[in-house]
Amino acid sequence: MKRESFDITYIRKFAPRRFDCFDFIPSVGASGGILVLWNSAIFTGTVLDKQSFGMTVSFSSVHNNDVWKLTTVYGPCDEPARTNFINWFRDHDIDDLDNWIFLGDFNFYRSLSNRNKPGGNLSDTLVFNDAIGHLGLVELPLKGRAFTWSNMQSNPLLEQLDWFFTSPNWTLDFPNTEVLPMAKITSDHIPCKITIKIFKDTKGKSIPLLRTFG
Ligand SMILES: *[C@@H]1O[C@H](CO)[C@@H](O)[C@H](O)[C@H]1NC(C)=O
Ligand SMILES: *[C@@H]1O[C@H](CO)[C@@H](O)[C@H](O)[C@H]1NC(C)=O
């Protein structure tokens, strides 16, 4: 979010009133910054972990006590923070029963084809994929878009730096989880919306229960 602090007055300028709980990680200069905002009438949130590059919140549904975890990240570009970040990510302990979603700007790509230009760092892709494999995470594909970031130059460098992963159990409990790119507004990143559809109305239409914006 690239802001040093948030208060409820500022949040009211862009979020509906029902989003009444939040926590954040401040930006440092022009990089970093994470805001997690939720509706306490639907979920009780408990912050489990807060680092300069990521935050984990456990949500418990007030309707049925289902518990799921969200880890949202903003991967640093420079060493040694970058290595600290990937080690922190790799060290998460994911239980078979956990419904856990990881998302955000990792500042890593998985393959050299996640760039529109030649070059790129192959050993970087190995470091990232090793962490994903070690955690056993499942990638949620971004529908209809290959890249999420642009360096905003004419003839731009485009890369996929934003990623969405779930624990294996998530794919069983919430099989209809979709990531959709939204219209680009002002950032060098594409905003993305995750919709998790878990039940159907009387006409058989899926109802989105939960939305996450990254
Ligand atoms: C997935 O997690 C739920 C509880 O959150 C559990 O009841 C279920 O057995 C788990 N499924 C698997 C395959 O582990
Ligand atoms: C390529 O990635 C590796 C592993 O992340 C890193 O140690 C190395 O410095 C990178 N090389 C360049 C030229 O950025």
Side-chain angles (χ1 to χ4, degrees), residues 18-19 39 42-43 61-64 66 68 173-174 176 194-200 206-212:
R18 62 182 182 277
F19 290 90
N39 177 347
I42 300 180
F43 295 111
S61 163
V62 303
H63 299 302
N64 64 7
D66 269 3
W68 56 283
D173 280 0
F174 307 116
N176 299 313
I194 300 179
T195 306
I196 301 149
K197 297 173 188 158
I198 64 158
F199 62 92
K200 295 181 186 301
S206 292
I207 297 173
L209 185 76
L210 171 69
R211 295 192 183 85
T212 306

